Amino acid sequence: MIWTLILREILTTLMTFRFFVTVITCMSLVIAGTIVLTDNYERRLASYNADFQTHQEKTFIAHTYSSFKADIDRAPNPLSVFNQGLDKRAKNSIRIRIGKVPYLWDKVYQYQSTGLKNPFRHLLADIDLVSIFQILLSLLALVFAYDAIAGARENGTLRLTLSNPVGRGVVILGKYVGAIVCLSLPLLISFLFALLLQLQSSAIQYTADDLFRIGGILLTTIVYISTFYLIGLLISSMIHRPATSLIVSMFIWVVLILLYPNVSLFLVNRFIDTEEKIEQTNREIEQISERFYRDIQKLRDPFESPSLLKDSISSGGSRGYLHLSKNFTYIPDESEPNIPTVKAYFQDLTSLHIRAAETIWRARKNAFAETYIRKSRIARNALRFSPTGLYHLSTEAWAGTDLFRMEHFFKTGRQYRQRVLDYFHDKKAFSSRQWFASDKGEVRWNDAPRFVYNPPDVFEDASSRALPDLFLLFLLNLVLFMATFMIFSRLEV
């Protein structure tokens, strides 16, 4: 009997005008969105490739160790076509410097960071394929559900169905399964066309890891559609008149899709104050910088003595004592006795720079944990009270475009900086002549560490972030289904 009810529900729905409109609307928006988003990704990838090539050419051409400058790059994520998250907004490059630890929320040095401020504000900001599914399919699911029970009761078909030897639970299950099958068809067709259009681009090359992630996004979307259909079904079982059921469903849709996610983020940003902690950290950093400058002044600056490196020719770098970068291409013989003094000076100066950078980073790291990270966590938890928020957070994790992935890139950049420092220590570079002079030979970078960014795989992202939110969305489905069944089982027809 259950299969008969499901088949009847599917055939009835397939022959309706609303199903035709659903297919046409979904395909049109997804295809148009895919074309635009793919073109945007191609341009971002071209820009990344140009920057990557430039940075690779410039990284290991320094003549001295102190002139080393590296810009490391993160390729744009092809899955940002599905959920852009922070991938488009975040810059792809980090500048690695000995005297500075890179971090995500650097507002001053735009070339060194994303320049993001309170990035959780933008959790629902960009239009992408997930946004289209999020808005369109949730609305269509409610349109399919608003008269599923109220309309059947009004036209008498529900009484006719229940006059047969069939349980009410079977009726609810038949309507639910039939509707989800019909709603999944335009989704699957749109998904297929979107993938085909993306694969036509030579810039997009999906790996097995990417295909698993796309499968996760598709599964999450189906569960999300199911959630809104069950919300509509619950409303339809509580309200006798289909017109009233539609009005209430539209009100719920506006609240869940438009109001709650944006209002919750606004309230978190409005009432959780971080300015005091940030100002306190800035004062702490100023004190660290002042101590650093005092320690610098205690060093004997060899460049204050004109005769120390008399008639030396400097190319590249500054003669200021706060600048590490030096490249003396010629040092006269009479200045050779002063070379040990210069070596000792640069060794002490570099040590002070590294120590100050690490101390400042620890202060910033603690401040970020208590401000931006805490604020972001609260905002994400607030979004989890809405199926829209759960859907967005889960698909963002599947796509790998969330805040975690951006911070992972900067964490990898900090690890690379440490590898460079370890390499300099192993080479005894800080106390060598080649730290500041190339007159006896330029530095060879053959064995220097190279940067390779390997993002987390799908299983790490899924287990830690995507699956928990998907599970909550699935649990919400169970609660809604049980609530609908309990109300329907007591319904008078």
Side-chain angles (χ1 to χ4, degrees):
M1 192 62 178
I2 179 65
W3 298 112
T4 303
L5 290 174
I6 292 174
L7 183 60
R8 188 187 72 177
E9 194 72 28
I10 292 174
L11 292 176
T12 302
T13 304
L14 291 179
M15 291 185 293
T16 60
F17 180 70
R18 74 179 78 173
F19 178 77
F20 174 76
V21 171
T22 298
V23 173
I24 297 301
T25 305
C26 192
M27 287 186 59
S28 301
L29 290 177
V30 169
I31 290 174
T34 301
I35 293 173
V36 173
L37 291 165
T38 302
D39 179 69
N40 178 270
Y41 172 77
E42 289 175 347
R43 286 187 281 107
R44 289 196 293 133
L45 183 64
S47 176
Y48 158 78
N49 288 332
D51 290 342
F52 178 81
Q53 183 65 31
T54 301
H55 295 160
Q56 287 292 101
E57 293 173 354
K58 290 183 177 180
T59 297
F60 298 106
I61 61 173
H63 301 299
T64 60
Y65 287 116
S66 68
S67 301
F68 173 82
K69 294 180 176 66
D71 289 278
I72 59 177
D73 301 277
R74 173 186 61 85
N77 189 340
L79 295 181
S80 61
V81 172
F82 290 94
N83 189 317
Q84 290 191 28
L86 297 175
D87 187 75
K88 180 180 177 181
R89 185 173 296 103
K91 293 187 68 175
N92 294 334
S93 300
I94 303 175
R95 181 156 291 181
I96 301 299
R97 295 293 179 266
I98 291 173
K100 185 176 179 63
V101 179
Y103 61 98
L104 182 60
W105 286 283
D106 191 345
K107 298 180 294 182
V108 179
Y109 301 103
Q110 294 289 326
Y111 60 85
Q112 288 185 324
S113 74
T114 63
L116 289 175
K117 182 179 180 181
N118 295 343
F120 71 87
R121 287 184 179 182
H122 307 286
L123 287 175
L124 303 175
D126 292 318
I127 297 297
D128 44 39
L129 294 187
V130 161
S131 299
I132 295 174
F133 297 143
Q134 176 180 292
I135 296 172
L136 177 63
L137 293 179
S138 61
L139 179 61
L140 294 174
L142 290 175
V143 170
F144 272 60
Y146 82 94
D147 62 346
I149 296 176
R153 181 169 53 183
E154 187 176 65
N155 61 29
T157 56
L158 182 59
R159 179 179 295 178
L160 181 62
T161 300
L162 293 177
S163 65
N164 294 295
V166 56
R168 295 196 174 199
V170 174
V171 174
I172 288 292
L173 184 61
K175 287 183 174 295
Y176 168 74
V177 173
I180 294 303
V181 170
C182 293
L183 284 167
S184 298
L185 284 176
L187 170 66
L188 293 172
I189 294 172
S190 302
F191 235 86
L192 179 60
F193 272 95
L195 283 175
L196 290 175
L197 286 173
Q198 292 171 44
L199 293 176
Q200 294 300 312
S201 171
S202 59
I204 296 181
Q205 305 287 335
Y206 284 137
T207 64
D209 186 270
D210 294 329
L211 294 177
F212 272 114
R213 292 178 183 276
I214 293 173
I217 292 173
L218 178 60
L219 174 62
T220 307
T221 304
I222 293 174
V223 177
Y224 173 73
I225 297 172
S226 169
T227 304
F228 272 88
Y229 180 80
L230 287 171
I231 291 174
L233 198 63
L234 177 62
I235 295 171
S236 184
S237 65
M238 296 171 64
I239 298 175
H240 292 189
R241 299 183 63 83
T244 307
S245 175
L246 178 61
I247 293 172
V248 173
S249 297
M250 292 302 97
F251 174 77
I252 296 296
W253 181 84
V254 169
V255 171
L256 294 179
I257 298 293
L258 303 178
L259 291 182
Y260 179 78
N262 292 288
V263 170
S264 63
L265 295 179
F266 170 78
L267 292 177
V268 169
N269 186 65
R270 175 68 177 81
F271 292 106
I272 299 182
D273 182 38
T274 59
E275 293 302 322
E276 182 179 352
K277 179 61 180 179
I278 293 174
E279 291 177 1
Q280 177 184 346
T281 303
N282 288 336
R283 290 194 295 269
E284 182 180 353
I285 291 175
E286 288 178 2
Q287 294 173 358
I288 296 171
S289 299
E290 289 174 0
R291 289 197 298 269
F292 168 71
Y293 291 133
R294 288 197 299 268
D295 291 339
I296 289 291
Q297 292 172 357
K298 295 177 183 178
L299 297 178
R300 181 192 172 192
D301 185 358
F303 304 104
E304 291 179 353
S305 174
S307 61
L308 193 60
L309 289 177
K310 183 179 179 182
D311 297 327
S312 298
I313 300 175
S314 176
S315 63
S318 168
R319 298 185 73 90
Y321 64 79
L322 290 180
H323 242 287
L324 291 176
S325 179
K326 293 285 185 179
N327 180 22
F328 290 102
T329 57
Y330 168 73
I331 298 177
D333 293 339
E334 56 267 28
S335 295
E336 284 296 328
N338 299 315
I339 293 299
T341 302
V342 178
K343 288 182 178 180
Y345 168 76
F346 276 118
Q347 184 175 14
D348 293 339
L349 177 63
T350 306
S351 178
L352 289 175
H353 268 281
I354 295 174
R355 191 181 309 123
E358 297 295 338
T359 305
I360 290 174
W361 162 241
R362 285 193 294 269
R364 282 178 174 149
K365 182 179 180 181
N366 294 333
F368 294 154
E370 297 178 24
T371 55
Y372 296 135
I373 297 296
R374 175 173 170 265
K375 216 170 184 180
S376 177
R377 187 180 298 113
I378 293 173
R380 294 171 71 86
N381 289 334
L383 286 175
R384 289 187 171 98
F385 286 95
S386 163
T388 302
L390 287 171
Y391 174 59
H392 183 88
L393 294 174
S394 182
T395 53
E396 193 179 51
W398 283 118
T401 57
D402 55 354
L403 182 62
F404 170 83
R405 178 64 69 86
M406 301 305 109
E407 178 56 32
H408 183 270
F409 174 58
F410 275 77
K411 179 181 178 181
T412 308
R414 291 190 290 270
Q415 292 172 345
Y416 176 69
R417 173 182 174 272
Q418 186 58 51
R419 287 171 54 203
V420 171
L421 293 178
D422 292 340
Y423 171 78
F424 284 162
H425 281 295
D426 293 341
K427 291 288 186 178
K428 296 182 172 53
F430 301 129
S431 59
S432 70
R433 185 191 190 100
Q434 285 184 308
W435 179 262
F436 58 89
S438 60
D439 61 318
K440 299 296 185 181
E442 298 177 357
V443 174
R444 296 185 180 274
W445 301 101
N446 298 336
D447 57 345
R450 264 61 175 175
F451 177 79
V452 178
Y453 179 59
N454 295 313
D457 61 28
V458 61
F459 300 105
E460 182 177 348
D461 280 341
S463 61
S464 60
R465 300 186 313 288
L467 287 179
D469 290 325
L470 177 58
F471 174 76
L472 290 176
L473 200 59
F474 180 76
L475 190 62
L476 180 58
N477 275 256
L478 292 179
V479 172
L480 290 170
F481 186 86
M482 294 302 297
T484 303
F485 171 73
M486 291 175 63
I487 293 174
F488 183 70
S489 63
R490 292 173 173 80
L491 187 67
E492 294 183 4
V493 294

